[in-house]
Every structure is written in C-alpha cells, then in structure tokens.
Amino acid sequence: MIYLDNAASTKLDEEVLTKMMPYLTEQYGNAQSQHAAGRASANAITAARDKIASLVGCRPDEVFFVSGGTEAGNTALKGVCALHKKGHLILSSIEHASLSESASDMQKLGFDVTFVQPESDGAVLAENIAKAMREDTIFCAVMAANNETGVIQPVEEIGKICREKGVFFYTDCVQTAAYLPLPANCADAMGFSSHKFYGPKGAGALILRKRSDVLRLISGGMQEMGFRGGTVNTAGIVGTAAAYEKACVNRDKVNAHIKGLRDKFVNRVLTEIEGTRLNGDINKMIPSIANISFDGCGGENILFLLDLKGICVSTGAACAAGAVSPSDTLITMGCGISEAKSSVRFSFGKHNTEEEVDLVFDALKFAVEKIRNN
Ligand code: PLP
C-alpha cells in the first residue's frame, strides 16, 4: 500500500506507541482514583499537560485534553454562544464541518452567522473579516490552514482584528499542528487532533487562554479541571504529548522531507500530465497537501483506479445518494463545478519516499489517460 492521505490520518509513530503501551496494559488506574494506580495515571496526565503547555507557550491550566479537533471546535463555538445567549458569529466559508455545522446548530437557536469567502488563491483576507464585524459579533473562526487545499490563513492578522474588537477568536490548527507552531499569541482558543501528527486517534487538545470565556460542553466529574467530564483517556493523552513533542522537535527536518516529495510530485503532474491545475497558491501552503484538478476526469474515478493499485488518496467531493457533489471549498475559491469535481487531494507524510512518489505518478498518469480515453 502507498498512503498519500496523511491529511485524513497518519500512521501511529512506534516510539509514541511504546510510550502509550503501559497505559493500555498494566497502568490502568482511573486518574481520578485516590490510590497508587490512580496516581500513576494522574501523574502521566500532568506530565503530558506540562509538556504540551511548554511546547505551545501557554500555561498548563490552558491545555484541555479532548477527543480531537471536532470536540475542540464545538466546545469553543458553542461554549461562547452559551455564555452570550445571542449575537453574531463570523466563520470563513472554508471551515471544517466541526465549525460550520456547529454554527448552523447555533443559527437554529437564533444566532446570526456570516460566512466569509476565500480569494481564488485559497486564502481568506483579514480585511474581509474586518468588514464582516458587527456591534454584536461575539465569535470568529478562521482555520490555520485548510484541510482540502492546505492553504495557510492569515490568522495573526485576523486575531489582531478580533482582539481590537473584543471578539473571541478560535483557530482550528488540526492541519497545521504538525508543520507550524500554534499561533498561541493571537488566538483565544486553538484545537488539534493527535492522529494528524502520528499520534493516536480520538485524542487531541483544546488550548483555551481564558476559561471564563467559554461554557463547558461536557458536564460531569472533575476531570480536566472540571471543564470536561468523563474518565480521561490516559494512553491517548500520553500519546498526544509524545507525538506533539516529536513533531515539534523534528519539524524542520520532516517539513523539508515532505515538501521535497510534494513539490516534486506537483511539478511532474503539472508538467507531464496535460489539463491539470493545482488548487491554491503553493507559496501559501503547508508542505503536505497538493489538491489537483484533472480536466475531463471525475476525482472519484481517479481515486477508484488508484485504490485498485493499493494507492490511498482522497477527493474533497462528497457522495450522497449516488450523486457526487463538488467541494464547497473549491467552489468558493472560484473553481467551476466540473473542475471541483475533478479534484484529488494527495497528502504526504514523513513515512513516504521518493520511490513511492514516482510510483504514484506513473499510476496516476495511467489512470488519467484511461479515464480520458473512455
Ligand atoms: N478540522 C480540520 C481542519 C480537519 O481536517 C479535521 C479532520 O480531518 C477536523 C477538524 C476534525 O478532526 P477530528 O476528526 O480528529 O475530530
């Protein structure tokens, strides 16, 4: 198998698994329990929280372990709404469903939402966020980089605008946590998922600078400093800290490796396969993603032919009731419907090799020719 879907999930790092193993086997105490087994879990969680805080540049009591980016985004958006009871929200139109669906839930409760579109290069302009601000704006969400195109968003600038207006700013860092430092000084809250940087699935963190800005989403016991009830996932938390530390320490080396593979692949596709276009500005992207449109091909047909050869990629298009609907992200960037439907996302990771890139290129060229000749 050749895996080029690292934006969807990554392979668990073996060193990370080794660090998690004790908490999946003999160290099974509940971190809330008042005995040695409980203390062993609680101590591991404290160490993990301290580690993440020092890597992010925040206080340990600003780190909340959650199930991942979806929960982090839901908690921030709905938690701010719950405290204000009414008001206006601003979201980029390219947010992940965890934010856009949360916003539509809030619309049903009477909150007003403005979606701000990106430019054709995939980036949302800070000035358009500023223009959308109203007297009653309480919340703004713009992701650090988009999951379909990889385009990095100007979150520092947007964070500054939000701060000046006293608007809570959440930035979804799920796609950037592996590649860029968290923008801890410009956002009120940030979220990430461990499985995007070789950690475990179902684990991640919400970094929340001021807890009193957000009403908790999950009530229960005193876990997570009383902010999120439920028995904590000790192994997942230990794995999150271990994976995040490894990602931060090796960031430059890994980024250079992944970017080398991605750029080589993009270059070959754009020069050697006619009728291809990269969606988004490559100079504004995280190193891992290449979203490419192929004239005259359905993205899902390319995916299918590559899958037959053991190659894993993804399309932004969603398939519902047998009909393929094009990616909203690409449409709001100005792509035509057929161009958007013909797109495939290739996302590279630290385990990929140059040889794999060449094999995927050959299989892709063959697949595109086959589809076009049919
Ligand atoms: N935000 C972005 C940008 C994502 O790409 C994803 C998942 O792919 C999520 C949020 C949700 O992450 P999870 O499914 O780990 O909760």
Side-chain angles (χ1 to χ4, degrees):
M1 176 177 92
I2 301 180
Y3 188 78
L4 288 190
D5 200 14
N6 290 277
S9 199
T10 57
K11 181 179 175 188
L12 185 64
D13 184 279
E14 279 180 21
E15 280 175 23
V16 172
L17 175 62
T18 303
K19 290 191 176 153
M20 291 169 67
M21 274 314 270
Y23 302 96
L24 291 166
T25 53
E26 69 270 20
Q27 298 278 17
Y28 47 80
N30 185 323
Q32 293 294 103
S33 298
Q34 306 296 310
H35 47 56
R39 279 194 298 279
S41 283
N43 290 342
I45 290 163
T46 301
R49 200 183 312 280
D50 290 348
K51 174 64 69 194
I52 301 265
S54 75
L55 292 165
V56 169
C58 67
R59 294 196 317 265
D61 66 359
E62 295 172 330
V63 178
F64 297 92
F65 290 111
V66 295
S67 62
T70 299
E71 186 185 330
N74 270 261
T75 304
L77 188 150
K78 293 176 180 168
V80 169
C81 288
L83 285 185
H84 283 81
K85 298 189 182 68
K86 59 180 184 185
H88 171 240
L89 319 178
I90 300 173
L91 270 73
S92 84
S93 65
I94 56 171
E95 291 304 297
H96 184 263
S98 50
L99 273 305
S100 57
E101 286 295 308
S102 292
S104 63
D105 289 350
M106 295 301 100
Q107 274 177 316
K108 289 177 196 125
L109 296 181
F111 290 86
D112 228 0
V113 184
T114 301
F115 291 98
V116 176
Q117 303 217 339
E119 302 302 296
S120 58
D121 64 0
V124 173
L125 290 179
E127 65 191 69
N128 288 341
I129 297 288
K131 279 187 205 145
M133 289 280 176
R134 298 189 339 201
E135 279 296 306
D136 62 341
T137 305
I138 55 170
F139 178 91
C140 173
V142 178
M143 64 206 326
N146 181 260
N147 45 301
E148 289 182 51
T149 62
V151 173
I152 298 169
Q153 306 300 320
V155 293
E156 300 275 344
E157 262 180 277
I158 293 169
K160 218 167 132 215
I161 293 166
C162 290
R163 189 149 298 169
E164 279 164 16
K165 302 271 181 197
V167 170
F168 186 97
F169 179 48
Y170 177 76
T171 182
D172 173 339
C173 298
V174 170
Q175 291 296 340
T176 56
Y179 310 108
L180 300 170
L182 255 56
N185 291 327
C186 76
D188 297 298
M190 293 149 280
F192 63 71
S193 298
S194 316
H195 68 104
K196 307 290 186 182
F197 47 81
Y198 315 98
K201 291 177 179 54
L206 167 69
I207 311 296
L208 177 59
R209 304 312 299 262
K210 212 160 113 227
R211 178 184 164 159
S212 58
D213 287 341
V214 173
L215 186 70
R216 66 187 176 189
L217 195 63
I218 303 179
S219 310
M222 286 311 291
Q223 294 93 351
E224 292 304 291
M225 302 165 277
F227 187 73
R228 180 195 191 248
T231 301
V232 294
N233 173 6
T234 310
I237 290 171
V238 167
T240 294
Y244 191 59
E245 180 175 29
K246 205 164 171 181
C248 292
V249 169
N250 299 327
R251 185 171 276 149
D252 291 346
K253 204 170 113 212
V254 171
N255 281 3
H257 170 69
I258 294 176
K259 187 174 186 309
L261 298 180
R262 196 268 316 262
D263 289 355
K264 176 181 177 187
F265 180 75
V266 169
N267 245 326
R268 285 202 71 188
V269 172
L270 298 187
T271 55
E272 296 179 44
I273 306 180
E274 273 177 33
T276 53
R277 258 171 325 283
L278 181 70
N279 294 309
D281 178 350
I282 199 160
N283 300 310
K284 293 186 177 172
M285 286 178 196
I286 50 172
S288 52
I289 293 181
N291 186 311
I292 302 175
S293 289
F294 298 85
D295 286 353
C297 301
E300 77 288 357
N301 295 328
I302 296 178
L303 185 146
F304 177 73
L305 290 179
L306 293 182
D307 190 30
L308 284 180
K309 300 215 163 159
I311 297 167
C312 306
V313 297
S314 104
T315 65
C319 201
V324 177
S325 57
S327 144
D328 286 340
T329 297
L330 298 184
I331 295 290
T332 58
M333 283 165 60
C335 273
I337 290 182
S338 63
E339 203 179 344
K341 279 188 175 175
S342 76
S343 74
V344 178
R345 181 186 70 181
F346 304 87
S347 53
F348 300 80
K350 69 176 182 179
H351 298 111
N352 292 126
T353 62
E354 272 206 41
E355 194 194 351
E356 286 181 330
V357 169
D358 290 336
L359 287 170
V360 174
F361 175 80
D362 292 341
L364 175 66
K365 193 165 192 301
F366 178 81
V368 170
E369 279 163 9
K370 187 165 176 181
I371 295 165
R372 284 180 180 162
N373 290 334
N374 254 338

